[in-house]
Amino acid sequence: AKAFIEEIKNMNSRMGIPSTIKGKIKDEDIPLMVKRADEEGNPLYPVPRLMGKEEFVEIIESIRE
């Protein structure tokens, strides 16, 4: 799994896909982003795992620059 993740990161780099979003995510946008992400995942829709709102915030914060 670690090798797979590393290869995805390498592919993104080769294709010029950034790992962060610079200056695009405002603090006031995060609650709506979290709400919409939370609505996407549910037990009837095939997602790898369901996450809590705190986890969504962590992910959004990790891609902000």
Side-chain angles (χ1 to χ4, degrees):
K2 289 180 182 182
F4 176 76
I5 292 168
E6 195 58 37
E7 183 55 30
I8 295 296
K9 289 178 181 180
N10 291 335
M11 287 173 47
N12 287 348
S13 178
R14 289 193 304 269
M15 292 185 284
I17 298 172
S19 60
T20 60
I21 299 175
K22 185 176 183 178
K24 304 287 184 187
I25 300 174
K26 300 175 186 171
D27 288 338
E28 60 267 21
D29 295 334
I30 293 176
L32 180 58
M33 293 172 70
V34 168
K35 179 181 181 295
R36 290 183 177 168
D38 189 42
E39 290 171 352
E40 281 294 311
N42 68 64
L44 303 176
Y45 184 77
V47 294
R49 70 181 178 95
L50 297 175
M51 295 187 290
K53 292 180 180 182
E54 298 80 21
E55 291 173 290
F56 288 124
V57 171
E58 287 177 23
I59 290 170
I60 292 168
E61 290 291 344
S62 75
I63 62 171
R64 281 175 42 159
E65 216 177 62

